[in-house]
mmCIF file of all heavy atoms in Angstrom:
data_model
loop_
_atom_site.group_PDB
_atom_site.id
_atom_site.type_symbol
_atom_site.label_atom_id
_atom_site.label_comp_id
_atom_site.label_asym_id
_atom_site.label_seq_id
_atom_site.Cartn_x
_atom_site.Cartn_y
_atom_site.Cartn_z
ATOM 1 N N ILE H 138 74.529 113.733 99.886
ATOM 2 C CA ILE H 138 75.235 112.520 99.679
ATOM 3 C C ILE H 138 76.542 112.821 98.879
ATOM 4 O O ILE H 138 77.645 112.257 99.315
ATOM 5 C CB ILE H 138 74.426 111.471 98.931
ATOM 6 C CG1 ILE H 138 73.125 111.142 99.718
ATOM 7 C CG2 ILE H 138 75.177 110.248 98.550
ATOM 8 C CD1 ILE H 138 73.242 110.500 101.006
ATOM 9 N N ALA H 139 76.548 113.558 97.826
ATOM 10 C CA ALA H 139 77.666 113.790 97.025
ATOM 11 C C ALA H 139 78.777 114.617 97.617
ATOM 12 O O ALA H 139 79.982 114.418 97.503
ATOM 13 C CB ALA H 139 77.235 114.430 95.705
ATOM 14 N N LEU H 140 78.388 115.639 98.401
ATOM 15 C CA LEU H 140 79.349 116.506 98.979
ATOM 16 C C LEU H 140 79.543 116.286 100.503
ATOM 17 O O LEU H 140 80.500 116.896 101.039
ATOM 18 C CB LEU H 140 78.861 117.972 98.809
ATOM 19 C CG LEU H 140 78.839 118.423 97.386
ATOM 20 C CD1 LEU H 140 78.212 119.790 97.208
ATOM 21 C CD2 LEU H 140 80.228 118.557 96.760
ATOM 22 N N GLY H 141 78.786 115.487 101.161
ATOM 23 C CA GLY H 141 78.941 115.196 102.571
ATOM 24 C C GLY H 141 79.410 113.769 102.757
ATOM 25 O O GLY H 141 80.477 113.445 103.163
ATOM 26 N N LEU H 142 78.499 112.912 102.463
ATOM 27 C CA LEU H 142 78.774 111.439 102.740
ATOM 28 C C LEU H 142 79.998 110.933 101.902
ATOM 29 O O LEU H 142 80.992 110.248 102.535
ATOM 30 C CB LEU H 142 77.636 110.536 102.566
ATOM 31 C CG LEU H 142 77.738 109.071 102.775
ATOM 32 C CD1 LEU H 142 78.153 108.765 104.260
ATOM 33 C CD2 LEU H 142 76.359 108.290 102.445
ATOM 34 N N GLY H 143 79.959 111.220 100.680
ATOM 35 C CA GLY H 143 80.923 110.688 99.790
ATOM 36 C C GLY H 143 82.377 111.025 100.182
ATOM 37 O O GLY H 143 83.311 110.092 100.464
ATOM 38 N N PRO H 144 82.699 112.308 100.325
ATOM 39 C CA PRO H 144 83.969 112.659 100.817
ATOM 40 C C PRO H 144 84.412 112.232 102.154
ATOM 41 O O PRO H 144 85.565 111.837 102.449
ATOM 42 C CB PRO H 144 83.943 114.276 100.847
ATOM 43 C CG PRO H 144 82.853 114.632 99.839
ATOM 44 C CD PRO H 144 81.854 113.467 99.955
ATOM 45 N N TRP H 145 83.358 112.113 103.082
ATOM 46 C CA TRP H 145 83.594 111.604 104.424
ATOM 47 C C TRP H 145 84.090 110.160 104.362
ATOM 48 O O TRP H 145 85.082 109.784 104.947
ATOM 49 C CB TRP H 145 82.372 111.870 105.242
ATOM 50 C CG TRP H 145 82.642 111.432 106.740
ATOM 51 C CD1 TRP H 145 82.957 112.334 107.754
ATOM 52 C CD2 TRP H 145 82.603 110.157 107.470
ATOM 53 N NE1 TRP H 145 83.142 111.674 108.951
ATOM 54 C CE2 TRP H 145 82.932 110.284 108.789
ATOM 55 C CE3 TRP H 145 82.312 108.941 106.844
ATOM 56 C CZ2 TRP H 145 82.927 109.315 109.650
ATOM 57 C CZ3 TRP H 145 82.391 107.823 107.867
ATOM 58 C CH2 TRP H 145 82.707 108.072 109.265
ATOM 59 N N LEU H 146 83.427 109.471 103.560
ATOM 60 C CA LEU H 146 83.791 108.041 103.512
ATOM 61 C C LEU H 146 85.204 107.941 102.850
ATOM 62 O O LEU H 146 85.987 107.110 103.304
ATOM 63 C CB LEU H 146 82.785 107.131 102.564
ATOM 64 C CG LEU H 146 81.339 106.892 103.050
ATOM 65 C CD1 LEU H 146 80.548 106.384 101.866
ATOM 66 C CD2 LEU H 146 81.478 106.016 104.199
ATOM 67 N N ALA H 147 85.466 108.732 101.860
ATOM 68 C CA ALA H 147 86.911 108.668 101.124
ATOM 69 C C ALA H 147 88.016 108.884 102.071
ATOM 70 O O ALA H 147 89.077 108.402 101.903
ATOM 71 C CB ALA H 147 86.776 109.659 99.956
ATOM 72 N N VAL H 148 87.780 109.854 103.016
ATOM 73 C CA VAL H 148 88.706 110.159 103.976
ATOM 74 C C VAL H 148 88.852 109.099 105.186
ATOM 75 O O VAL H 148 89.870 108.661 105.569
ATOM 76 C CB VAL H 148 88.582 111.616 104.483
ATOM 77 C CG1 VAL H 148 89.479 111.926 105.701
ATOM 78 C CG2 VAL H 148 88.776 112.582 103.468
ATOM 79 N N GLU H 149 87.642 108.864 105.762
ATOM 80 C CA GLU H 149 87.622 108.118 107.016
ATOM 81 C C GLU H 149 87.751 106.632 106.944
ATOM 82 O O GLU H 149 88.420 106.003 107.686
ATOM 83 C CB GLU H 149 86.372 108.433 107.774
ATOM 84 C CG GLU H 149 86.269 109.851 108.340
ATOM 85 C CD GLU H 149 87.361 110.204 109.314
ATOM 86 O OE1 GLU H 149 87.638 109.425 110.216
ATOM 87 O OE2 GLU H 149 88.060 111.164 109.102
ATOM 88 N N ILE H 150 87.167 106.020 105.907
ATOM 89 C CA ILE H 150 87.105 104.603 105.811
ATOM 90 C C ILE H 150 88.607 104.015 105.631
ATOM 91 O O ILE H 150 89.026 103.038 106.290
ATOM 92 C CB ILE H 150 86.114 104.155 104.764
ATOM 93 C CG1 ILE H 150 84.711 104.512 105.138
ATOM 94 C CG2 ILE H 150 86.165 102.541 104.547
ATOM 95 C CD1 ILE H 150 84.273 104.108 106.554
ATOM 96 N N PRO H 151 89.379 104.554 104.695
ATOM 97 C CA PRO H 151 90.703 104.006 104.629
ATOM 98 C C PRO H 151 91.565 104.210 105.929
ATOM 99 O O PRO H 151 92.277 103.267 106.303
ATOM 100 C CB PRO H 151 91.375 104.829 103.455
ATOM 101 C CG PRO H 151 90.250 105.336 102.724
ATOM 102 C CD PRO H 151 89.149 105.524 103.610
ATOM 103 N N ASP H 152 91.350 105.258 106.574
ATOM 104 C CA ASP H 152 91.997 105.455 107.857
ATOM 105 C C ASP H 152 91.516 104.434 108.938
ATOM 106 O O ASP H 152 92.332 103.808 109.639
ATOM 107 C CB ASP H 152 91.734 106.958 108.344
ATOM 108 C CG ASP H 152 92.494 107.243 109.674
ATOM 109 O OD1 ASP H 152 93.739 107.079 109.646
ATOM 110 O OD2 ASP H 152 91.856 107.714 110.551
#
Side-chain angles (χ1 to χ4, degrees):
I138 299 299
L140 295 169
L142 181 60
W145 190 91
L146 289 171
V148 169
E149 291 301 309
I150 299 306
D152 185 54

